[in-house]
Amino acid sequence: MVAARRVITLSIDSDQRRALVDISRSRSEATGRVERARMIIAYLDTPSAYVVARQIGVSQQTVTRCLERAAELGVLAALDDRPRAGRDAVITREARTWLVSLACAKPIASGYPHELWTTRLLAAHARNHGPQAGHPSLAKLAQGTVCKILAAHEIKPHKIRYYVEQRDPDFEPKMAEVLCVYREVEMRRAAAADRDGGGQIAILSYDEKPGIQAIGNTTPDLPPVPGTHPTTQRDHEYKRHGTVTLMAGIDLLTGTVHALVKSLPRRRPGTATAVASSSSSSKSSTLPTRPQRRSKLFWTITRRTSRGRPRRGWPLSRTAASRLCSPPNTVPGSTSSRGFSPKQPGPCSATSVSSPHTN
């Protein structure tokens, strides 16, 4: 006589069913979890362990055990393996905490000349000093165990990640000033697109990089030779030709990049703006010829010492500082937008608006 089919009742709501469907279609979940989620979903559609086993490709006993665990623990908790017996951990929790705190400190504090910990050095130090610190379980600590302990706490003492500390107390006003400049660029771009028959607006953003070494070769480069030298060869010796200043800018409306290289032995106020303006005028042929063309120029002025290193302060008077940050050779009627205020001596990023002029 054939026994009656055993039906295992599972309690599941819509959220749990949606989670089971996501797990069954996942490509990053463990294989066991995906397989058990498919078993439960198939059983909910067809309540027969035999049919589900044939559909999934496992034995009927495997499906029955999964369903019994789901009825006992819940459909989502049944996806994970049961905790196994195993032996107790050899390294105690206090020893792991001591090792992690040691990894968070500098090796120089423990008498080593190293700048950063390595897992091998950390394991050797734990074996030598762990028992004396009251952790005898670290007497036979292996390097691989150190890696596992650090990985469990997401600590990588052998790596450095750089960050920028905010040291400027006036960072928020300066940030707002820069954002206002970019907002104005966007507004002017929209106005130039909507205007019919008006003059074209050229918004140029310039910056400079001084003190670039001009290095020349002593001998010509050797070209590649098939079968002998696969790359171009260059002599190690070189000649020094002093330094040059690179000034480059981008038209924020058209995306055109203007670049100019000049030999400037010393930085002078207004030099960047003058060279930038000359570069912009030399490139003006790329813009359509119109009766009027309004231009807006952004420049950056940075105070440096004679050695080329940046200074923290501005050892200038208010008059000299305002003269530094004022646009040179401005025509009558020009205005300054978000410029440098004499009441706030410090590094500045000034902008000037030139009045309409005729090409």
Side-chain angles (χ1 to χ4, degrees), residues 295-351:
S295 63
K296 186 178 181 65
L297 183 65
F298 302 89
W299 76 90
T300 302
I301 302 177
T302 307
R303 179 68 176 174
R304 291 178 177 268
T305 61
S306 59
R307 295 185 179 181
R309 298 179 181 178
R311 270 187 176 178
R312 288 176 175 261
W314 279 71
L316 301 174
S317 62
R318 292 184 177 180
T319 305
S322 60
R323 187 166 58 249
L324 264 179
C325 294
S326 61
N329 301 327
T330 55
V331 298
S334 63
T335 58
S336 61
S337 172
R338 285 178 296 280
F340 176 81
S341 175
K343 297 181 180 180
Q344 299 176 358
C348 65
S349 175
T351 62

Side-chain angles (χ1 to χ4, degrees), residues 264-277:
L264 303 176
R266 291 183 62 86
R267 303 276 303 278
R268 295 184 298 274
T271 303
T273 309
V275 178
S277 302

Side-chain angles (χ1 to χ4, degrees), residues 47-125:
S48 175
Y50 176 78
V51 176
V52 173
R54 295 290 299 270
Q55 180 180 350
I56 303 299
V58 296
S59 63
Q60 183 177 353
Q61 290 77 9
T62 302
V63 177
T64 304
R65 286 195 298 266
C66 177
L67 297 175
E68 291 176 352
R69 188 162 60 249
E72 178 185 356
L73 304 177
V75 290
L76 295 180
L79 302 181
D80 299 326
D81 295 333
R82 292 181 181 270
R84 304 189 179 184
R87 64 176 183 178
D88 297 336
V90 178
I91 302 178
T92 61
R93 183 178 302 179
E94 292 77 9
R96 295 172 182 267
T97 305
W98 180 82
L99 183 65
V100 170
S101 63
L102 181 64
C104 294
K106 285 285 188 177
I108 192 173
S110 300
Y112 295 98
H114 303 72
E115 182 183 4
L116 300 175
W117 284 107
T118 61
T119 54
R120 180 173 300 179
L121 179 63
L122 194 59
H125 181 81

Side-chain angles (χ1 to χ4, degrees), residues 212-260:
I212 303 177
Q213 292 189 6
I215 299 176
N217 298 332
T218 57
T219 56
D221 294 342
L222 300 180
V225 179
T228 306
H229 301 291
T231 61
T232 302
Q233 292 186 337
R234 178 173 297 174
D235 192 0
H236 288 281
E237 301 295 335
Y238 57 87
K239 297 179 181 179
R240 295 181 180 269
H241 299 287
T243 59
V244 295
T245 299
L246 172 63
M247 299 184 181
I250 181 172
D251 192 337
L252 300 181
L253 294 179
T254 62
T256 305
V257 178
H258 307 276
L260 185 64

